[in-house]
Every structure is written in C-alpha cells, then in structure tokens.
Amino acid sequence: DAGVIQSPRHEVTEMGQEVTLRCKPISGHNSLFWYRQTMMRGLELLIYFNNNVPIDDSGMPEDRFSAKMPNASFSTLKIQPSEPRDSAVYFCASSFTGLTGGYSNQPQHFGDGTRLSIL
Amino acid sequence: AQSVTQPDIHITVSEGASLELRCNYSYGATPYLFWYVQSPGQGLQLLLKYFSGDTLVQGIKGFEAEFKRSQSSFNLRKPSVHWSDAAEYFCAVGDPGRRALTFGSGTRLQVQP
C-alpha cells in the first residue's frame, strides 16, 4: 500500500520566493495534518483538516503560511514570501477518523517530509 | 492542556543491552498514548499505542510499553537492542478535548557495537 506521499523531498530557494509543499494522503484517510520539525522547537502541528475542511489552524505561524485541501487526495502548504527562519522539515500525516471518534485516538501515518532551506 | 515530557534527550546503549525510554504526561484523565520512531531522513512510524485495557502493550520491532497511571508514565522498553534501532523516539499524547496529538521533544538513541 502506498503511504503518505510528499513532494518535493528537498527544496532550496531564496528568501522572498513562494514555496509550495504538496501532500497526497493515504487513500481512505479523512484527516490530514501538517507539521514542522526544527531542532529548536521540535515537532509542531501547523494545521489539520477533516473531510477536506480546516479544523484547527492555530499552529500556523503567521499569514505568510496558508494550507488548502481541495479534495480528499491532495493538500498544499504554501509560504509566501518565504524567510530563512522558515527553514525546517515539513511533514504531512494522515489518519482515518470515524463518525464518532476524535482525531486524537487514531494513529497518524507520516510522509518522509520535505526538507526546506531558505537562503 | 496536556503535555508530554521525555526527560532524556540522548541515550547510548550497547547492542544486545536492554533499553528503557522514559515518557511522562500531564493530563487529567487517561489519555491516548503513542510511541513513534523516526529514522534519519524519514517520517515518523508508529511503534505502538495505548487506549485502554491491558497496561502492557506490545508493538512492532520487539518494543513494548507500560502505562502506569500512578506515575503518569508510558515508558518504552526493549529487552535486547539491535544496531538498527538507532533512531529518534517520540512519545505522543492524544486528548479527546483537543482533538490532536501532542508530541514530546524526542529521545535520540545511539547503539554502540
């Protein structure tokens, strides 16, 4: 079975450029999560979706960050304009949440991440 | 709000030795508990999970964890470590009220030959 697929695996760009990270969740999963991992702050939840609807974006650092999920099989995380402090590894994860269950009792399946470097 | 503490940033063990990684959580009720492993350059992989019932849970790759309510702990153990176990390990807590997982800061495991 295909896991969570993220692209690109590595991205190096100059400050001020727009960056778009992509994620394809596991087929059948209805919850999708975007995380950022840095040495200083560890693993931070940025935003999560359920049934393509953003549920909680309180972790999004600022207005330069935006995320969309136009359909059940695709999500993007966009940074515009990018800054050097955005350099990190960005992970996408997906899970299945039942009709009555919360999001916190379902194991999340992670992609291999996108290593982003802003020069 | 719940929180997770992994007090050991870095642990080194010899191959074949036993392993215990510590995890303490703060939450009013019984939380959902998870252990994940991250190999270099890869995402997190679920090792095991605890929701209720038997407090000793078995996971993949020979790992187990024990939930101790009195100590608010969910320590990860393995009786004999293999060199391939070298990785970073994350404990996570799920809070139904918050509807998302909170991850600890991780413990990096190094295995000596």
Side-chain angles (χ1 to χ4, degrees):
Chain A
D1 289 341
V4 175
I5 300 173
Q6 291 186 246
S7 64
R9 288 297 310 276
H10 303 273
E11 174 89 11
V12 180
T13 192
E14 292 187 346
M15 182 176 65
Q17 296 299 307
E18 178 179 292
V19 173
T20 300
L21 310 181
R22 297 173 176 81
C23 175
K24 177 178 171 56
I26 292 173
S27 178
H29 282 187
N30 61 352
S31 292
L32 184 139
F33 306 79
W34 281 101
Y35 291 89
R36 178 172 67 177
Q37 186 178 40
T38 62
M39 289 291 293
M40 293 297 296
R41 301 174 67 90
L43 197 63
E44 303 174 277
L45 176 65
L46 300 178
I47 185 171
Y48 64 94
F49 296 83
N50 181 247
N51 294 325
N52 312 336
V53 176
I55 301 301
D56 185 349
D57 65 354
S58 60
M60 297 285 264
E62 48 196 278
D63 292 345
R64 298 184 296 106
F65 286 69
S66 63
K68 293 182 179 180
M69 192 164 186
N71 57 62
S73 60
F74 184 65
S75 176
T76 59
L77 178 67
K78 187 173 294 186
I79 308 173
Q80 168 61 21
S82 59
E83 296 182 3
R85 60 194 169 116
D86 302 330
S87 299
V89 181
Y90 290 81
F91 288 103
C92 175
S94 71
S95 69
F96 175 75
T97 303
L99 291 176
T100 58
Y103 311 114
S104 61
N105 63 345
Q106 301 302 320
Q108 296 179 16
H109 299 261
F110 283 75
D112 287 339
T114 294
R115 182 172 296 277
L116 177 63
S117 296
I118 308 297
L119 306 177
Chain B
Q2 80 268 23
S3 65
V4 183
T5 302
Q6 293 182 247
D8 303 307
I9 297 173
H10 187 210
I11 283 183
T12 300
V13 300
S14 299
E15 190 168 17
S18 63
L19 172 70
E20 183 168 26
L21 302 182
R22 296 184 290 167
C23 172
N24 294 98
Y25 66 89
S26 172
Y27 182 61
T30 301
Y32 306 127
L33 296 162
F34 305 82
W35 274 100
Y36 285 82
V37 60
Q38 183 181 27
S39 298
Q42 297 186 9
L44 280 69
Q45 180 186 19
L46 180 69
L47 284 176
L48 48 78
K49 60 188 179 186
Y50 172 78
F51 293 163
S52 64
D54 192 347
T55 57
L56 184 64
V57 293
Q58 303 296 320
I60 63 172
K61 304 184 180 185
F63 285 92
E64 65 178 27
E66 186 171 12
F67 170 62
K68 292 186 177 180
R69 184 190 305 274
S70 61
Q71 299 177 16
S72 297
S73 69
F74 188 58
N75 294 349
L76 182 71
R77 302 195 294 247
K78 187 169 185 178
S80 177
V81 170
H82 188 261
W83 64 267
S84 61
D85 293 325
E88 188 148 19
Y89 292 80
F90 292 89
C91 181
V93 171
D95 171 7
R98 186 172 180 269
R99 303 199 296 176
L101 295 184
T102 299
F103 285 85
S105 55
T107 297
R108 184 168 297 279
L109 173 66
Q110 190 171 0
V111 180
Q112 289 181 333

Tab-separated table of all heavy atoms in Angstrom, chain B residues 23-27 33 67-75:
chain	number	residue	atom	x	y	z
B	23	CYS	N	8.822	8.405	29.351
B	23	CYS	CA	7.822	9.358	28.876
B	23	CYS	C	6.871	9.639	30.031
B	23	CYS	O	6.307	8.714	30.611
B	23	CYS	CB	7.041	8.801	27.692
B	23	CYS	SG	5.632	9.813	27.180
B	24	ASN	N	6.692	10.898	30.341
B	24	ASN	CA	5.724	11.312	31.354
B	24	ASN	C	4.736	12.280	30.727
B	24	ASN	O	5.097	13.111	29.907
B	24	ASN	CB	6.436	11.975	32.540
B	24	ASN	CG	7.302	11.001	33.289
B	24	ASN	OD1	8.507	10.941	33.067
B	24	ASN	ND2	6.690	10.223	34.159
B	25	TYR	N	3.500	12.157	31.116
B	25	TYR	CA	2.477	13.018	30.539
B	25	TYR	C	1.720	13.727	31.646
B	25	TYR	O	1.720	13.310	32.806
B	25	TYR	CB	1.505	12.201	29.681
B	25	TYR	CG	0.680	11.226	30.491
B	25	TYR	CD1	-0.537	11.607	31.037
B	25	TYR	CD2	1.135	9.938	30.729
B	25	TYR	CE1	-1.286	10.734	31.807
B	25	TYR	CE2	0.402	9.058	31.492
B	25	TYR	CZ	-0.801	9.457	32.034
B	25	TYR	OH	-1.539	8.584	32.803
B	26	SER	N	1.086	14.788	31.259
B	26	SER	CA	0.240	15.532	32.171
B	26	SER	C	-1.127	15.646	31.528
B	26	SER	O	-1.278	16.250	30.461
B	26	SER	CB	0.816	16.926	32.428
B	26	SER	OG	-0.089	17.712	33.176
B	27	TYR	N	-2.101	15.017	32.176
B	27	TYR	CA	-3.460	15.049	31.657
B	27	TYR	C	-4.391	14.570	32.748
B	27	TYR	O	-4.047	13.682	33.514
B	27	TYR	CB	-3.582	14.166	30.410
B	27	TYR	CG	-4.954	14.171	29.783
B	27	TYR	CD1	-5.511	15.356	29.294
B	27	TYR	CD2	-5.699	13.009	29.684
B	27	TYR	CE1	-6.775	15.358	28.737
B	27	TYR	CE2	-6.960	13.005	29.121
B	27	TYR	CZ	-7.496	14.186	28.647
B	27	TYR	OH	-8.744	14.190	28.093
B	33	LEU	N	-2.145	7.201	24.255
B	33	LEU	CA	-0.692	7.283	24.288
B	33	LEU	C	-0.087	6.534	23.108
B	33	LEU	O	-0.556	5.439	22.757
B	33	LEU	CB	-0.170	6.701	25.604
B	33	LEU	CG	-0.596	7.467	26.859
B	33	LEU	CD1	-0.436	6.611	28.111
B	33	LEU	CD2	0.220	8.758	26.990
B	67	PHE	N	1.856	1.366	30.604
B	67	PHE	CA	1.137	2.522	31.118
B	67	PHE	C	1.016	2.393	32.633
B	67	PHE	O	0.491	1.404	33.140
B	67	PHE	CB	-0.254	2.599	30.481
B	67	PHE	CG	-1.169	3.612	31.115
B	67	PHE	CD1	-0.847	4.954	31.102
B	67	PHE	CD2	-2.358	3.218	31.722
B	67	PHE	CE1	-1.685	5.894	31.683
B	67	PHE	CE2	-3.207	4.151	32.298
B	67	PHE	CZ	-2.872	5.495	32.282
B	68	LYS	N	1.503	3.400	33.335
B	68	LYS	CA	1.398	3.426	34.790
B	68	LYS	C	0.687	4.716	35.190
B	68	LYS	O	1.280	5.800	35.206
B	68	LYS	CB	2.782	3.352	35.441
B	68	LYS	CG	3.474	2.014	35.232
B	68	LYS	CD	4.774	1.938	36.021
B	68	LYS	CE	5.431	0.571	35.861
B	68	LYS	NZ	6.698	0.461	36.626
B	69	ARG	N	-0.578	4.557	35.536
B	69	ARG	CA	-1.388	5.720	35.870
B	69	ARG	C	-0.838	6.456	37.091
B	69	ARG	O	-0.789	7.682	37.102
B	69	ARG	CB	-2.827	5.291	36.141
B	69	ARG	CG	-3.780	6.439	36.417
B	69	ARG	CD	-5.117	5.911	36.919
B	69	ARG	NE	-5.680	4.943	36.006
B	69	ARG	CZ	-6.422	5.263	34.957
B	69	ARG	NH1	-6.663	6.538	34.688
B	69	ARG	NH2	-6.925	4.325	34.177
B	70	SER	N	-0.397	5.718	38.096
B	70	SER	CA	0.070	6.346	39.346
B	70	SER	C	1.300	7.212	39.116
B	70	SER	O	1.543	8.173	39.851
B	70	SER	CB	0.375	5.278	40.389
B	70	SER	OG	1.400	4.418	39.923
B	71	GLN	N	2.065	6.883	38.095
B	71	GLN	CA	3.280	7.641	37.800
B	71	GLN	C	3.126	8.539	36.582
B	71	GLN	O	4.078	9.227	36.198
B	71	GLN	CB	4.451	6.680	37.580
B	71	GLN	CG	4.769	5.810	38.793
B	71	GLN	CD	5.879	4.822	38.534
B	71	GLN	OE1	6.630	4.936	37.576
B	71	GLN	NE2	5.985	3.807	39.392
B	72	SER	N	1.957	8.526	35.968
B	72	SER	CA	1.725	9.298	34.734
B	72	SER	C	2.833	9.024	33.724
B	72	SER	O	3.407	9.949	33.127
B	72	SER	CB	1.645	10.796	35.034
B	72	SER	OG	0.544	11.073	35.864
B	73	SER	N	3.132	7.743	33.554
B	73	SER	CA	4.239	7.391	32.673
B	73	SER	C	3.808	6.372	31.630
B	73	SER	O	2.827	5.639	31.805
B	73	SER	CB	5.414	6.840	33.477
B	73	SER	OG	5.102	5.575	34.021
B	74	PHE	N	4.554	6.351	30.558
B	74	PHE	CA	4.320	5.399	29.469
B	74	PHE	C	5.691	5.116	28.867
B	74	PHE	O	6.033	5.559	27.782
B	74	PHE	CB	3.357	6.001	28.448
B	74	PHE	CG	2.900	5.031	27.377
B	74	PHE	CD1	2.252	3.853	27.709
B	74	PHE	CD2	3.086	5.317	26.030
B	74	PHE	CE1	1.803	2.971	26.737
B	74	PHE	CE2	2.647	4.440	25.043
B	74	PHE	CZ	2.010	3.268	25.393
B	75	ASN	N	6.493	4.346	29.587
B	75	ASN	CA	7.875	4.099	29.178
B	75	ASN	C	7.967	3.005	28.127
B	75	ASN	O	7.258	1.994	28.191
B	75	ASN	CB	8.717	3.730	30.389
B	75	ASN	CG	8.857	4.890	31.370
B	75	ASN	OD1	8.499	6.030	31.056
B	75	ASN	ND2	9.356	4.584	32.553
